[in-house]
Amino acid sequence: MTISSRYAVAIHILSLLEINKEERITSDFIAGSVNTNPVVIRRIIGMLGKAGLVITNPGVAGAQLARPIDRITLLDVYRAVQSDPEEELFALHDNPNPQCPVGRNIQGALEGTFAQAQKAMEEELRKVTLQQIVHQVSQEP
Amino acid sequence: MTISSRYAVAIHILSLLEINKEERITSDFIAGSVNTNPVVIRRIIGMLGKAGLVITNPGVAGAQLARPIDRITLLDVYRAVQSDPEEELFALHDNPNPQCPVGRNIQGALEGTFAQAQKAMEEELRKVTLQQIVHQVSQEP
DNA sequence: CGAACTTGTAATGATTTTAGTTACAATGCT
DNA sequence: AGCATTGTAACTAAAATCATTACAAGTTCG
């Protein structure tokens, strides 16, 4: 029922890349901050790369953000870490009984509402940029 | 990364209860429409009951809606089928490194944004009543 | 009353997802 | 040349999801 912590980790990674952009930090270093295995980090950076948010070079540490941080939104990151980009937030049960009026129409009735709810959530994520997160993280003691 | 289909099934069940409120439908009948096992239905009805949305009597078929359908929102149903009512929509990774400024502050920085995004989604669900769903389901051919 | 049904719930299983780990080829740096 | 690093596959472990079996406890109605 929850959105994978992979998302939170992705934001964590991007923040680290920004804050340490002068150095070249390794997946090992990032893993130390996130507190997980370096491979988990590399996998997520791979997704961020495919989504065009970071630029990486095989064998060389220090992925770079592909855009200025005020032009990367949390929605961009959310989309980037979705394994299946087609997948909707709300799951529908499959094969309800077409013989029954409810079974036949429930999917259509829910799709619209579910899409709207998902949209509302995504719009909130779109409003927040990485810059804001990095700012907050740097502010605190 | 998705919200359990238990939610869609719960809405399906409530719609059936409303549309067939004159009869006393069994979990077996509902299961036929949803296309799943009757026990799955009874479990979900159990959750709806604990949340005060339906009234059931052990041994007797035909759960009743506890309120008029225009006073049951999809948010009510959403909350009802959450196994852990404390659980947030967005998962945070646990134990980020407190030695690192990002590790130390990322949770706090994300909590607010995540809460807002979740709220936005929930508000959309609150806007829709069971009545609207039942109406749509009954409209279609 | 007693047979037939029904609910509520525990226990179990199958499948999928999530997160972590090991291993290693390929690449780049110095 | 040698060392560090990435990218990726393969595997494991744990959790979540959904389905199923089983059965006690309740209801209904002849």
Side-chain angles (χ1 to χ4, degrees):
Chain A
M1 228 40 198
T2 73
I3 288 165
S4 161
S5 69
R6 180 167 72 240
Y7 180 36
V9 171
I11 299 171
H12 188 147
I13 293 171
L14 292 167
S15 302
L16 281 171
L17 290 178
E18 168 65 18
I19 290 174
N20 302 283
K21 62 183 160 192
E22 305 308 336
E23 299 123 74
R24 287 179 161 184
I25 60 177
T26 66
S27 61
D28 215 61
F29 173 86
I30 299 174
S33 172
V34 171
N35 191 23
T36 182
N37 191 290
V39 175
V40 172
I41 302 299
R42 296 205 284 271
R43 263 201 296 253
I44 295 176
I45 290 182
M47 300 179 91
L48 296 171
K50 271 182 192 143
L53 299 184
V54 301
I55 297 164
T56 64
N57 299 99
V60 43
Q64 306 285 315
L65 298 190
R67 300 201 292 267
I69 48 169
D70 61 349
R71 288 188 40 230
I72 298 180
T73 72
L74 293 200
L75 178 56
D76 294 328
V77 183
Y78 179 70
R79 296 246 164 89
V81 298
Q82 280 187 301
S83 31
D84 176 1
E86 303 296 297
E87 191 178 73
E88 307 290 342
L89 178 59
F90 294 88
L92 295 173
H93 49 302
D94 29 44
N95 308 321
N97 190 340
Q99 315 278 32
C100 167
V102 177
R104 186 162 58 241
N105 298 316
I106 189 73
Q107 310 243 6
L110 291 179
E111 269 169 17
T113 302
F114 283 176
Q116 258 186 281
Q118 178 173 349
K119 187 95 190 287
M121 180 206 78
E122 292 181 350
E123 284 309 311
E124 286 303 309
L125 296 180
R126 192 207 298 282
K127 286 184 197 163
V128 182
T129 67
L130 257 191
Q131 180 161 53
Q132 293 170 256
I133 300 296
V134 168
H135 182 253
Q136 267 195 71
V137 166
S138 314
Q139 269 327 63
E140 324 260 346
Chain B
M1 254 343 236
T2 74
I3 288 166
S4 161
S5 70
R6 180 167 71 239
Y7 180 36
V9 172
I11 299 171
H12 188 147
I13 293 171
L14 291 167
S15 301
L16 281 171
L17 290 177
E18 167 65 19
I19 290 173
N20 301 285
K21 62 183 160 191
E22 304 310 335
E23 298 123 74
R24 288 179 161 184
I25 60 178
T26 65
S27 61
D28 215 61
F29 173 86
I30 299 173
S33 172
V34 171
N35 191 24
T36 183
N37 193 290
V39 175
V40 172
I41 302 298
R42 296 205 284 271
R43 262 201 297 254
I44 295 176
I45 290 182
M47 299 180 92
L48 296 171
K50 272 183 192 144
L53 299 184
V54 301
I55 297 163
T56 64
N57 299 99
V60 43
Q64 305 287 314
L65 298 190
R67 300 201 292 267
I69 47 169
D70 61 349
R71 288 186 41 227
I72 298 180
T73 72
L74 293 200
L75 179 57
D76 294 328
V77 184
Y78 179 71
R79 296 246 164 89
V81 297
Q82 279 188 303
S83 30
D84 176 2
E86 302 297 296
E87 190 178 73
E88 307 290 341
L89 178 59
F90 294 88
L92 295 173
H93 50 302
D94 29 43
N95 307 322
N97 190 339
Q99 314 278 33
C100 167
V102 176
R104 187 163 55 241
N105 297 316
I106 189 72
Q107 310 243 7
L110 290 179
E111 268 169 18
T113 302
F114 283 176
Q116 258 185 282
Q118 178 173 350
K119 187 97 192 283
M121 180 207 79
E122 292 181 351
E123 284 308 312
E124 286 303 309
L125 296 180
R126 192 206 299 281
K127 286 184 196 162
V128 183
T129 67
L130 256 190
Q131 180 160 53
Q132 293 171 256
I133 300 296
V134 167
H135 183 251
Q136 266 196 72
V137 166
S138 314
Q139 269 325 64
E140 323 260 345

